[in-house]
Amino acid sequence: MNGFASAVSHTANDQTEQDEWRDALASLVANAGPERARQILDLLAREGSAPHIDWKPRHGTPYVNSIGVTQQPAFPGDLATEERLASLVRWNALAMVVRANQAYGELGGHIASYASAADLFEVGFNHFFRARHEGFGGDLVFYQPHSAPGIYARAFLEGRLSENDLAHYRQEIGGPNAGARGLSSYPHPWLMPDFWQFPTGSMGIGPISSIFQARFMRYLQHRGLQDTTDRHVWGVFGDGEMDEPESMSALTLAAREGLDNLTWVVNCNLQRLDGPVRGNGRIIDELEALFGGAGWHVIKLVWGSDWDALLAKDTDGALVNTLSNTVDGQFQTFAAKDGAYNREHFFGQNPSLARLVEGMSDEQIDRLKRGGHDMVKIHAAYHAARRVKGKPTVILAQTKKGFGMGEAGQGKMTTHQQKKLDREALIAFRNRFQLPLSDEQTESLSFFKPADDSLELRYLHQRRQALGGYVPSRSQVAAPVSVPPVTGYAGFATAAAGKEMSTTMAFVRMLTHLLKDQALGPRIVPIVADEARTFGMANLFKQVGIYSSVGQRYEPEDIGSILSYREATDGQILEEGISEASAISSWVAAATSYSVHGLRMLPFYIYYSMFGFQRVGDLIWAAADQRARGFLLGATAGRTTLGGEGLQHQDGSSHLCAATVPNCRAYDPAFAGEFAVILDHGMRQMLEQEVDAFYYVTLMNENYPQPSLPEGVEAAIIKGMYRLQGAPDAQVRLLGSGTLVREAQAAAQLLADDWQVASEVYSVTSFSELAREAREVERWNRLHPQATQRVSHVNDCLPKGAPVVAVSDYVRAVPQMIASYLDSPYTVLGTDGFGRSDTRAALRDFFEVDRHHLVLAALTALVEQGSLARQVCQQAIERYGLQAEREASWV
């Protein structure tokens, strides 16, 4: 029998053989070093995975810290002072939330999340989160949203917020009335534009945004626009948050791009809002396998320093085995119980565990910290993360939700909803963190700030000065970028003279010209999901290239073509694959560059309009919150302009969604000249006048003759509508938007030829802009009853008189936005219902938005006004072959 066969014949519990293998590995490490040991283990792993053995390594590592005691750097700060600072911040955060809810029970707020993350943040604030200052752009930090009270509490100690500000937490209306700053519930740049940089309150948005901000920093670096070499992106997120699709969707991109400028800290307090994240498993193990498989460097920060001695004494592995076999639901129970309970139910599971804590009191057992509450361990993890090269890092930090809240909330199922504490709980919290508060101050929830010359505050300011200033902080300082004259890049559109093209084609041509502009061109960021060829942008591949952090390592199949696919490290196009979430995240990174990097960029993200607002609406709201500036272009727009694709590709609702976003200006131009005016206006607003708005413009793939732009209509186009043809004394007024303007023009001709009815035709470039301005005028008039009453643009164009018929390639609710502001009879046609696959003509007949249905609607309006006999409508139905008994499109 050979040696291998002999080894196989041994029983599985042959401890001698197992010890020999362990000794061999230990000897290899001792004599040849860890690097050689890793090489040998990699070799054995390859051999073991051969088909005839079919071995695969287990995912994950033992449930202990990734960084051993001997690998820890010396803690560089004053640990005792930092712990006192963390305790003071904890108290002020708790007092802020509890006071608000004692006064106003409906305000809400969260205590437990920051209680679990306080030390994770404090180490970052004291040693790692660098501020933007002269010559350095600063680090980017994404804050766990439910921890906002703690961030405010620290800003209070820094002197950036007052006690009165804290007293008006979540009172953004009442606060200013009381001479205070109302503090927003979560990080909201729109509401606190000099404080918060990124909105993270919608779970999953922060994680994906942080990845694309880190990637955009590399993009700026590789294109030579800004030196971002030493800047870092930090994200502190929750373990429950990792279940959001957005949290996970770009992990492989971060690894593929080698984003070693990115570190996530996942606060694994093991609880969601209602209970455990993984009650029957271990979320840290799951995340370790997930991130490791995606190519991230994983650092597990599980146990605090007090556990080091216990683990050192664990010679038979009983402690490690027990930790590795205890599920999170049970860990939550242990977190909620005291030292006596943990002695009996955890360490009492077997004699080996019991011996480990024989010399410890119940209080010492109760004080055993999890890794995310130990500043020394946290610093070691952060220090290691900053030195990882070639890949992003995730730190999985185990904490206790509601840490320090004792019986009132630590580890409880209800801890997320805990907003009030009784006297005993407050006193216990004070004692637990040794706060310098009297019983009366504690019970009254007094905010506490040490004297300015105290050791704590002097230390706090020194640390922040060493890191460049205070965070979070947001700046809008960025040098302006000049916009070229519209005639230079869009003269072909404003003076089209009947040349046939689609508005999508016109946009691409304008973009091509703009990219060549010496000042603006380098600041443009073209973005597509995976449809550049569909939108006719393939000519840009060679002109400006597709960004790739590694260049192009292959010879493209179409290398001989003038439109060949070209990737380059200095490429300008961001092509994000089949992922609208990735593309919009890239757009947000570029659209906020003026604030994040002090560099004004102009992103154009073009996509199928149907895959826009409804697919990534949460990210668009986040963009609005952080005051994004750029263009979103909904191409192949409308429900009847994209003939053959059918239901899930035909957009009838994006303009309705866009109208709900306060700083989104949405337009549906019919003609290339109209688009040129909107493009010029938007660029000047965002780049030159620093207006915090972004533009959604729909583009069509339908080719038709483009008229030259009439003189003097530019202002009216921006306001939302202008007269195309006809006289003000017409019998009926027709409004069209997008490609259906041409149906309105055709209907006007039919009304004149077949029914001798004179029409006035308007091109409506934006129903939402018309409605907003009319709403503002209506409000002003209501609040100023004795002043000269103002007239809105829509009423100026459409005064009381002839009936109005509007048609849109979107649901009727879009043109109905202006209905309440009109004094004339108003009829609306739209494309309500599911889309269909067919020709444009068939679709427009089906949705009853073509010229013939417009004629019928106009005649019906005149009948209702008493201007025509009712039989005229029946004659029109018969003349145009309209199907009166067909079911409506929305049935």
Side-chain angles (χ1 to χ4, degrees):
M1 181 182 292
N2 61 33
F4 183 76
S6 175
V8 171
S9 70
H10 289 176
T11 61
N13 60 4
D14 185 345
Q15 190 62 48
T16 301
E17 183 181 7
Q18 292 183 32
D19 289 344
E20 288 175 351
W21 282 103
R22 289 196 187 96
D23 290 343
L25 178 60
S27 176
L28 179 63
V29 173
N31 290 287
E35 177 61 30
R36 181 58 178 162
R38 287 193 290 271
Q39 293 174 358
I40 297 300
L41 289 171
D42 286 341
L43 172 64
L44 291 174
R46 287 196 298 272
E47 294 295 324
S49 61
H52 68 286
I53 300 177
D54 195 25
W55 170 85
K56 290 181 176 58
R58 291 178 58 186
H59 290 297
T61 55
Y63 205 65
V64 294
N65 295 340
S66 301
I67 301 173
V69 180
T70 58
Q71 299 170 296
Q72 290 178 195
F75 188 76
D78 183 332
L79 183 59
T81 301
E82 292 189 27
E83 287 178 339
R84 286 197 301 273
L85 281 169
S87 296
L88 293 175
V89 176
R90 269 195 179 92
W91 168 258
N92 288 324
L94 178 146
M96 179 170 37
V97 175
V98 177
R99 281 175 62 160
N101 283 279
Q102 283 183 348
Y104 308 97
E106 74 268 26
L107 287 179
H110 302 279
I111 302 171
S113 291
Y114 183 74
S116 67
D119 297 299
L120 298 172
F121 281 118
E122 198 62 27
V123 172
F125 281 126
N126 285 322
H127 301 285
F128 292 95
F129 300 163
R130 297 169 298 173
R132 179 177 173 179
H133 58 275
E134 187 67 31
F136 181 67
D139 292 336
L140 313 185
V141 185
F142 289 76
Y143 298 91
Q144 190 177 12
H146 292 124
S147 294
I151 311 304
Y152 294 139
R154 195 172 208 277
F156 167 60
L157 295 185
E158 294 167 341
R160 299 197 295 144
L161 295 176
S162 69
E163 185 171 326
N164 197 21
D165 295 334
L166 265 59
H168 287 87
Y169 170 61
R170 290 195 171 196
Q171 297 168 62
E172 295 164 271
I173 299 170
N177 293 334
R181 179 171 195 168
L183 304 182
S184 61
S185 53
Y186 305 118
H188 290 306
W190 186 265
L191 301 172
M192 298 180 68
D194 63 340
F195 192 88
W196 294 116
Q197 183 76 68
F198 305 108
T200 55
S202 186
M203 299 288 99
I205 301 303
I208 192 171
S209 296
S210 71
I211 289 173
F212 282 92
Q213 286 287 359
R215 202 278 289 269
F216 191 71
M217 285 164 63
R218 289 288 172 82
Y219 173 86
L220 294 177
Q221 176 85 26
H222 288 153
R223 290 194 53 221
L225 294 172
Q226 189 174 88
D227 183 3
T228 61
T229 308
D230 191 41
R231 298 175 64 193
H232 203 75
V233 179
W234 297 87
V236 183
F237 309 118
D239 48 357
E241 186 175 4
M242 294 300 105
D243 284 341
E244 288 285 5
E246 292 89 351
S247 297
M248 298 287 105
S249 63
L251 292 187
T252 54
L253 177 138
R256 189 167 65 247
E257 295 283 322
L259 297 181
D260 50 20
N261 61 341
L262 174 66
T263 297
W264 282 10
V265 181
V266 180
N267 176 19
C268 297
N269 60 31
L270 313 185
Q271 287 184 241
R272 291 194 298 250
L273 309 190
D274 293 333
V277 177
R278 295 290 185 272
N280 297 304
R282 282 187 304 282
I283 186 61
I284 288 179
D285 287 351
E286 182 179 319
L287 293 178
E288 179 185 21
L290 183 66
F291 280 90
W296 288 51
H297 179 70
V298 180
I299 297 175
K300 288 164 69 172
L301 174 57
V302 191
W303 308 112
S305 299
D306 293 339
W307 288 85
D308 289 339
L310 298 179
L311 290 165
K313 292 193 294 182
D314 182 36
T315 54
D316 60 359
L319 179 57
V320 173
N321 288 336
T322 303
L323 294 173
S324 298
N325 289 291
T326 301
V327 296
D328 284 355
Q330 193 62 48
F331 276 128
Q332 181 188 350
T333 301
F334 291 142
K337 302 297 183 179
D338 60 14
Y341 181 93
N342 280 272
R343 180 190 297 278
E344 178 182 354
H345 293 88
F346 181 77
F347 292 104
Q349 293 182 69
N350 63 60
S352 295
L353 289 177
R355 283 194 296 272
L356 291 177
V357 294
E358 280 179 346
M360 297 176 66
S361 66
D362 289 347
E363 184 179 1
Q364 286 175 311
I365 293 175
D366 192 45
R367 293 295 184 101
L368 286 171
K369 289 181 179 178
R370 296 188 180 178
H373 300 306
D374 187 315
M375 291 185 172
V376 173
K377 297 290 187 184
I378 296 167
H379 178 272
Y382 288 10
H383 180 271
R386 286 294 280 114
R387 282 151 183 79
V388 172
K389 299 299 181 185
K391 60 175 64 177
T393 296
V394 62
I395 297 169
L396 305 175
Q398 185 176 209
T399 63
K400 293 180 181 180
K401 193 161 189 176
F403 180 62
M405 292 171 64
E407 289 295 320
Q410 179 171 288
K412 301 287 187 181
M413 292 289 190
T414 57
T415 190
H416 189 79
Q417 283 72 33
Q418 191 74 40
K419 307 177 196 314
K420 298 180 181 180
L421 282 82
D422 59 24
R423 182 182 186 280
E424 289 70 24
L426 291 170
I427 295 295
F429 189 94
R430 178 201 66 183
N431 295 342
R432 169 69 179 79
F433 293 106
Q434 301 177 351
L435 295 162
L437 299 168
S438 67
D439 287 357
E440 182 182 358
Q441 288 174 311
T442 303
E443 192 172 358
S444 65
L445 294 163
S446 298
F447 296 124
F448 183 83
K449 182 179 179 182
D452 290 343
D453 62 351
S454 65
L455 172 63
E456 289 83 3
L457 287 197
R458 283 190 286 111
Y459 183 88
L460 178 148
H461 291 299
Q462 287 168 1
R463 291 309 311 147
R464 287 315 313 163
Q465 288 165 9
L467 293 169
Y470 299 95
V471 292
S473 179
R474 182 179 180 276
S475 170
Q476 293 199 179
V477 177
V481 178
S482 60
V483 176
V486 68
T487 52
Y489 63 86
F492 72 92
T494 57
K499 184 176 181 180
E500 188 170 292
M501 71 183 85
S502 69
T503 52
T504 300
M505 183 191 303
F507 157 68
V508 174
R509 188 170 170 184
M510 291 179 207
L511 179 65
T512 302
H513 291 323
L514 286 170
L515 285 165
K516 296 175 182 177
D517 184 79
Q518 189 172 3
L520 179 60
R523 303 298 184 92
I524 291 175
V525 185
I527 302 169
V528 287
D530 191 38
E531 294 281 3
R533 296 184 194 276
T534 300
F535 304 136
M537 297 173 65
N539 64 301
L540 297 180
F541 291 165
K542 271 198 170 181
Q543 179 182 330
V544 295
I546 300 161
Y547 172 70
S548 167
S549 60
V550 296
Q552 193 162 36
R553 297 174 173 174
Y554 61 93
E555 184 179 279
E557 172 274 330
D558 59 354
I559 193 169
S561 166
I562 60 171
L563 304 179
S564 64
Y565 200 78
R566 183 175 76 88
E567 298 186 67
T569 53
D570 62 349
Q572 200 160 347
I573 301 169
L574 291 173
E575 189 163 30
E576 304 297 5
I578 305 176
S579 174
E580 285 80 14
S582 292
I584 192 68
S585 296
S586 267
W587 181 84
V588 171
T592 57
S593 178
Y594 73 95
S595 168
V596 177
H597 307 294
L599 192 69
R600 298 188 194 188
M601 304 294 287
L602 184 65
F604 292 88
Y605 169 30
I606 184 169
Y607 54 90
Y608 264 69
S609 65
M610 186 61 175
F611 304 149
F613 274 78
Q614 61 270 44
R615 178 166 287 193
V616 292
D618 207 2
L619 282 156
I620 288 175
W621 273 99
D625 192 347
Q626 60 196 298
R627 299 167 176 260
R629 302 174 187 171
F631 285 94
L632 297 173
L633 300 157
T636 58
R639 189 153 275 161
T640 70
T641 59
L642 183 63
E645 295 282 358
L647 188 152
Q648 290 198 20
H649 282 68
Q650 292 171 338
D651 170 28
S653 58
S654 69
H655 273 285
L656 190 61
C657 298
T660 66
V661 183
N663 53 339
C664 174
R665 304 191 66 176
Y667 290 90
D668 185 32
F671 304 119
E674 295 173 355
F675 175 76
V677 170
I678 295 164
L679 177 61
D680 178 70
H681 171 79
M683 289 193 296
R684 295 187 187 282
Q685 288 276 290
M686 294 183 290
L687 292 176
E688 295 182 346
Q689 298 174 37
E690 300 186 79
V691 175
D692 290 334
F694 63 98
Y695 286 67
Y696 174 63
V697 187
T698 40
L699 302 172
M700 277 66 72
N701 65 334
E702 183 176 355
N703 291 318
Y704 47 79
Q706 299 285 338
S708 295
L709 192 70
E711 286 188 18
V713 299
E714 289 84 357
I717 287 172
I718 298 306
K719 288 180 179 179
M721 68 184 295
Y722 68 100
R723 183 190 294 114
L724 266 181
Q725 62 189 58
D729 60 352
Q731 295 165 266
V732 66
R733 295 172 285 192
L734 305 180
L735 314 183
S737 68
T739 54
L740 295 191
V741 168
R742 298 178 70 249
E743 292 297 320
Q745 291 176 302
Q749 190 65 49
L750 289 176
L751 283 168
D753 293 345
D754 296 348
W755 310 101
Q756 292 73 55
V757 171
S759 305
E760 185 181 20
V761 179
Y762 283 84
S763 176
V764 178
T765 53
S766 178
F767 281 108
S768 56
E769 286 297 301
L770 290 173
R772 283 175 178 171
E773 193 253 359
R775 183 172 64 222
E776 179 59 31
V777 168
E778 180 186 66
R779 176 181 178 272
W780 192 93
N781 288 341
R782 185 169 62 248
L783 294 173
H784 301 83
Q786 294 182 302
T788 301
Q789 299 290 276
R790 297 175 177 176
V791 179
S792 67
H793 182 65
V794 70
N795 284 130
D796 191 42
C797 292
L798 306 172
K800 186 175 182 178
V804 179
V805 179
V807 64
S808 162
D809 214 11
Y810 298 86
V811 293
R812 283 166 171 77
V814 173
Q816 282 170 344
M817 285 189 238
I818 65 171
S820 66
Y821 307 112
L822 297 179
D823 291 328
S824 303
Y826 187 49
T827 304
V828 166
L829 303 182
T831 55
D832 298 73
F834 285 119
R836 299 289 195 279
S837 295
D838 215 305
T839 64
R840 293 187 181 109
L843 289 169
R844 288 168 184 167
D845 173 63
F846 172 77
F847 285 106
E848 300 173 358
V849 293
D850 65 1
R851 61 197 67 182
H852 299 131
H853 285 94
L854 266 170
V855 168
L856 178 61
L859 295 175
T860 302
L862 291 171
V863 167
E864 296 295 332
Q865 193 184 51
S867 301
L868 291 177
R870 189 164 293 277
Q871 62 264 31
V872 171
C873 295
Q874 184 61 40
Q875 293 170 6
I877 291 171
E878 293 171 359
R879 181 167 193 157
Y880 301 128
L882 305 183
Q883 300 179 48
E885 305 307 318
R886 182 176 63 191
E887 286 187 332
S889 62
W890 56 85
V891 174

